[in-house]
Amino acid sequence: MRKPIIAGNWKMYRTIPEGRSLVKGVIEKLAGFDEVEVVFCPPFTCLSAVKDLIQGTSFGLGAQDVYWKEEGAFTGEISPLMLKDIGCDYVIIGHSERREHFGETDQTVNLKVKAALAAGIKPIICVGESLAQREAGETESLIKRQTELALQGVDAAAIPRIVIAYEPIWAIGTGKSAGGSDANEVIGLIRKTVAGLFGNEPAQQMRIQYGGSVKPSNIKEFMEQPEIDGALVGGASLEIESFVEIVRYETKV
Ligand code: 13P
């Protein structure tokens, strides 16, 4: 049985005081709730403050990016060892915003995935098609290729530690989410691709999330799907109420 994982990707939002009050509120409201693994992915500047607040709880900490070298003359970059040092359990890799605005490619995603794993940090790898790609009927081939390239050279034993987030680009920040069964189909394809590369057992253990305009009103539709193991939440993770309602999706009408 895969434990669902719901992660909040704060993107480039929240100062340290704002981040602290958000996390405090979420922790208070979710006390004793452990059916879902909950991960905060704040900006680098908030990682330490969030780590202090979640110390001794079951909440996880994730960064939003990482470089693939351990150290060196790479001004502005953060290494996997530094993320480990600050207490990160997870790191988001290959978010479409990084692919679009910062030149992230399938090759750099792959380097980052391997570097994160080597440092003991679990990658949350983002894949997803644009509207043009979807309309051109390229979703399947693109998702398959992104998945294969991201995982090239990864050890089969590491697969259960990896999370993949299927985030259709046209659904991110648009209020227009994929349908539950559509998302389930693509996520099933990702799992099939992973099974083809590494065998069925690790593929069955790997958690695959949906991301893109996830809200309290639609989370259940995704979580009900057999292939979907959680969500990567952007905008709705920035407010205590909406994030808590998403995490408690079973009890939300
Ligand atoms: P929204 O939930 O704001 O659509 O963002 C999704 C996302 O990009 C999470 O990584």
Side-chain angles (χ1 to χ4, degrees):
M1 209 33 200
R2 300 183 292 263
K3 183 166 188 169
I5 174 168
I6 296 184
N9 173 11
W10 296 6
K11 308 194 179 184
M12 199 175 72
Y13 293 100
R14 301 295 178 250
T15 60
I16 295 172
E18 288 166 353
R20 288 180 66 87
S21 67
L22 170 56
V23 168
K24 270 193 203 161
V26 172
I27 291 178
E28 261 172 43
K29 290 198 183 306
L30 288 176
F33 182 86
D34 71 345
E35 285 153 51
V36 172
E37 185 177 350
V38 180
V39 181
F40 298 106
C41 302
F44 288 126
T45 47
C46 279
L47 285 170
S48 182
V50 174
K51 182 68 194 174
D52 287 347
L53 291 171
I54 63 171
Q55 203 79 251
T57 72
S58 58
F59 291 88
L61 183 67
Q64 298 174 17
D65 188 29
V66 65
Y67 195 54
W68 58 83
K69 301 273 190 181
E70 287 190 359
E71 60 176 14
F74 301 104
T75 302
E77 292 296 322
I78 304 284
S79 85
L81 295 185
M82 292 165 181
L83 294 186
K84 191 75 193 164
D85 188 35
I86 212 164
C88 284
D89 312 288
Y90 289 92
V91 60
I92 298 172
I93 296 176
H95 192 282
S96 61
E97 288 151 13
R98 297 216 57 84
R99 294 183 194 248
E100 185 185 344
H101 304 301
F102 303 100
E104 194 85 86
T105 65
D106 289 322
Q107 285 67 39
T108 58
V109 167
N110 179 244
L111 289 167
K112 291 178 177 191
V113 167
K114 289 187 284 195
L117 288 168
I121 298 172
K122 294 172 263 193
I124 300 176
I125 306 169
C126 300
V127 298
E129 82 286 359
S130 67
L131 189 56
Q133 288 162 330
R134 169 158 282 239
E135 285 172 351
E138 292 168 6
T139 303
E140 281 199 13
S141 59
L142 178 95
I143 296 297
K144 196 163 180 288
R145 188 168 73 242
Q146 284 184 334
T147 304
E148 284 172 354
L149 293 176
L151 298 176
Q152 216 164 48
V154 168
D155 217 34
I159 294 298
R161 290 197 284 132
I162 295 176
V163 176
I164 293 185
Y166 167 54
E167 298 206 310
I169 298 169
W170 47 270
I172 296 177
T174 59
K176 204 173 115 187
S177 62
S181 66
D182 268 6
N184 188 64
E185 202 175 303
V186 178
I187 287 177
L189 169 76
I190 295 172
R191 200 178 303 287
K192 210 169 119 200
T193 304
V194 174
L197 293 169
F198 300 98
N200 199 43
E201 205 177 307
Q204 287 303 327
Q205 290 173 49
M206 192 180 73
R207 292 173 299 174
I208 312 180
Q209 301 169 311
Y210 168 77
S213 296
V214 170
K215 300 176 276 238
S217 58
N218 63 16
I219 181 68
K220 202 159 191 287
E221 175 185 347
F222 296 108
M223 300 304 283
E224 275 171 359
Q225 305 291 332
E227 295 289 353
I228 303 182
D229 306 312
L232 185 55
V233 186
S237 73
L238 294 171
E239 303 297 336
I240 299 168
E241 287 298 330
S242 50
F243 192 53
V244 166
E245 284 181 10
I246 287 170
V247 172
R248 289 186 178 274
Y249 62 92
E250 295 261 41
T251 50
K252 172 81 189 154
V253 186

